[in-house]
């Protein structure tokens, strides 16, 4: 039914307008207690076997919503109602910014993909922190906060900009993510180089510890799929050295070649980050490489091209303790998380593993024996 609705209604709308309308509907549904209870029961059933622990946090399942959908923390309870067991908000920048000019979001429907060059459009860390501080949670949802660089801030002042966001947002975050991998902010990906990344992550860690005494806020870094393999290894080694809590693999890609894209060539040529099904193979490859490098010393989060329960299962076998999705949500609709949870529980029952934790990294471990 949703796919028919998508073709007849959403697909005829500008993608960004459709996104804002969907967020509005989700927020409104979550504000009506009877409807909220009904939808949560229907769309977010709990499976005991999917209970997960990651960097000291307990979750109903390993599956959550990636950053980018709820940039300003306005729909967390609605998204939890739809079955996402953790919601990563953002990317939030130190200062508010409008992002890049529209049109900046494109659907590649035949490829089940999106291209975006949103440019971190958000209300800024001060406004988002105030919203999180005043929030009364309806559902127990793990909330991650993804922070990035304000576009107008020079690269040499980037550390201070991230620290500002960390100071404001860490007190309200279950975990904090340093995003240095979006292709839509000039110079941002240069911060993935270890000589730039080391002082940045160290400063954010120090800031989070300073403003949240007595509670260690887990700190993760999100990397691009376009990194060379040796650079992936370097980030992995740095994360271990600094005692980071996790790595998110991966963000969107600027690659287009050899992906077999079927969409209209003029769409394929649009600049920005490509997400969705075409990213699946490379994202999984990076995840496997990371796990081979860090093992169980760091929590890995798999994202990029995740469409169904089998994709989630393969990320877990490749080393992910948590898995995220976004683009497929646009194409699959409100029953997506429910279907993933049901399929993942069934997959675990027929596997040789007693728990999800036992399955984490199993495919990589077999290869290294």
């Amino acid at each position: 039914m949703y796919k028919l609705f998508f073709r007849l209604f959403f697909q005829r709308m500008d993608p960004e307008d459709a996104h804002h309308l969907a967020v509005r509907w989700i927020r409104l549904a979550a504000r009506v207690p009877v409807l909220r209870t009904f939808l949560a029961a229907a769309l977010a059933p709990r499976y005991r076997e999917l209970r997960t622990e990651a960097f000291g946090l307990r979750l109903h399942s390993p599956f959550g919503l990636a950053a980018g959908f709820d940039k300003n923390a306005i729909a967390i309870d609605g998204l939890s109602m739809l079955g996402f067991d953790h919601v990563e908000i953002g990317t939030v920048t130190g200062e508010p910014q409008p992002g890049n000019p529209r049109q900046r979001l494109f659907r590649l429907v035949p490829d089940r993909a999106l291209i975006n060059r949103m440019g971190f459009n958000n209300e800024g860390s001060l406004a988002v922190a105030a919203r999180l501080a005043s929030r009364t949670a309806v559902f127990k949802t793990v909330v991650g906060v993804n922070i990035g660089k304000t576009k107008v801030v020079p690269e040499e002042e980037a550390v201070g900009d991230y620290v500002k966001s960390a100071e404001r947002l860490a007190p309200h975050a279950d975990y904090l993510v340093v995003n240095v991998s979006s292709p839509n902010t000039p110079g941002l990906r240069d911060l993935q180089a270890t000589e730039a990344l080391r002082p940045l992550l160290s400063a954010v860690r120090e800031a989070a510890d300073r403003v949240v005494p007595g509670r260690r806020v887990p700190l993760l870094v999100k990397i691009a799929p376009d990194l060379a393999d040796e650079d992936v290894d370097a980030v992995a080694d740095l994360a271990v050295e600094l005692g980071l809590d996790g790595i998110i693999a991966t963000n969107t890609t600027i690659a287009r070649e050899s992906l077999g894209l079927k969409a209209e060539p003029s769409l394929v040529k649009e600049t920005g980050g490509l997400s969705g099904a075409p990213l699946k193979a490379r994202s999984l490859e990076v995840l496997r490489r990371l796990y081979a490098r860090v093992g169980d010393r760091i929590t890995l989060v798999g994202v990029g091209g995740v469409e169904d329960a089998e994709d989630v299962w393969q990320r877990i076998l490749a080393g992910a303790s948590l898995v995220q999705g976004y683009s497929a949500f646009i194409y699959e609709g409100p029953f997506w998380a429910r279907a993933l949870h049901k399929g993942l529980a069934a997959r675990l029952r027929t596997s040789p593993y007693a728990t999800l934790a036992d399955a984490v990294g199993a495919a990589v471990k077999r290869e290294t024996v």
Side-chain angles (χ1 to χ4, degrees):
M1 289 178 61
Y2 173 79
K3 290 181 179 179
L4 177 62
F5 180 81
F6 178 83
R7 288 198 303 270
L8 295 179
F9 186 64
F10 274 151
Q11 196 168 331
R12 299 177 183 221
M13 294 181 65
D14 172 84
E16 191 169 346
D17 290 340
H19 173 87
H20 291 313
L21 180 61
V23 171
R24 192 175 302 120
W25 285 348
I26 292 168
R27 290 181 68 191
L28 288 173
R31 289 176 176 174
V32 181
V34 174
L35 181 58
R36 180 177 66 222
T37 301
F38 170 77
L39 289 175
L43 302 177
R46 306 301 188 191
Y47 296 86
R48 292 181 61 88
E49 59 266 49
L50 297 185
R51 290 179 180 175
T52 299
E53 288 194 18
F55 30 78
L57 302 174
R58 295 182 178 181
L59 302 94
H60 292 295
S61 91
F63 186 67
L65 186 64
F69 189 89
D70 186 3
K71 294 177 180 294
N72 294 305
I74 62 175
I76 295 170
D77 284 317
L79 293 165
S80 179
M81 174 189 72
L82 297 183
F84 296 103
D85 287 310
H86 67 276
V87 175
E88 191 170 307
I89 65 154
T91 296
V92 183
T93 54
E95 301 298 331
Q97 58 185 30
N100 293 322
R102 295 182 64 167
Q103 185 177 4
R104 53 192 181 181
L105 180 63
F106 307 87
R107 301 188 198 96
L108 280 63
V109 177
D111 302 294
R112 306 183 310 283
L114 302 170
I115 290 175
N116 92 82
R117 51 172 179 264
M118 304 298 290
F120 290 168
N121 55 307
N122 74 105
E123 296 175 4
S125 57
L126 195 62
V128 174
R131 183 171 292 117
L132 288 172
S134 64
R135 174 176 173 257
T136 301
V138 176
F139 299 104
K140 185 179 179 181
T141 309
V142 167
V143 178
V145 178
N146 185 302
I147 59 175
K149 186 180 83 69
T150 305
K151 184 176 182 179
V152 297
V153 170
E155 191 173 330
E156 60 270 19
E157 298 175 18
V159 171
D161 191 54
Y162 277 94
V163 165
K164 179 195 300 181
S165 293
E167 289 174 340
R168 292 171 173 173
L169 293 163
H172 315 295
D174 290 312
Y175 68 88
L176 197 63
V177 182
V178 171
N179 185 352
V180 288
S181 50
S182 170
N184 299 317
T185 296
L188 186 74
R189 287 191 168 191
D190 295 340
L191 297 175
Q192 291 177 113
T194 54
E195 60 270 19
L197 193 56
R198 179 180 282 104
L200 171 58
L201 294 174
S202 298
V204 171
R205 174 76 275 164
E206 181 182 340
D209 291 343
R210 184 173 61 254
V211 298
V212 193
R215 175 173 75 93
R216 178 182 169 87
V217 179
L219 179 62
L220 296 79
V221 64
K222 187 169 187 176
I223 64 172
D226 306 313
L227 285 177
D229 288 347
E230 57 268 26
D231 293 326
V232 172
D233 294 343
V235 171
D237 294 343
L238 178 63
V240 172
E241 174 194 330
L242 297 179
L244 237 59
D245 299 278
I247 302 173
I248 301 181
T250 62
N251 212 318
T252 59
T253 181
I254 58 173
R256 303 289 189 269
E257 304 81 5
S258 305
L259 292 176
L261 298 175
K262 305 170 187 174
E264 175 67 34
S266 62
L267 280 180
V268 172
K269 292 177 182 177
E270 291 288 351
T271 59
L274 174 72
S275 63
L279 186 55
K280 187 177 304 186
R282 177 56 182 168
S283 183
L284 184 58
E285 181 183 9
V286 171
L287 177 64
R288 292 171 69 93
R289 188 173 189 92
L290 285 169
Y291 189 78
R293 195 81 176 183
V294 305
D296 297 319
R297 292 177 291 175
I298 289 178
T299 298
L300 300 180
V301 182
V303 59
V306 174
E307 296 187 280
D308 54 29
E310 184 61 24
D311 289 333
V312 177
W313 181 246
Q314 291 304 319
R315 302 305 168 104
I316 292 169
L317 293 179
S321 296
L322 298 180
V323 180
Q324 298 177 339
Y326 174 1
S327 297
F329 185 30
I330 308 303
Y331 293 109
E332 298 297 328
F335 288 88
W336 182 47
R338 171 182 169 160
L340 284 176
H341 288 132
K342 181 178 180 181
L344 184 60
R347 191 69 178 81
L348 177 62
R349 292 187 204 111
T350 60
S351 78
Y353 310 107
T355 67
L356 282 179
D358 293 336
V360 172
V364 179
K365 291 173 183 175
R366 284 198 302 267
E367 293 175 356
T368 56
V369 172

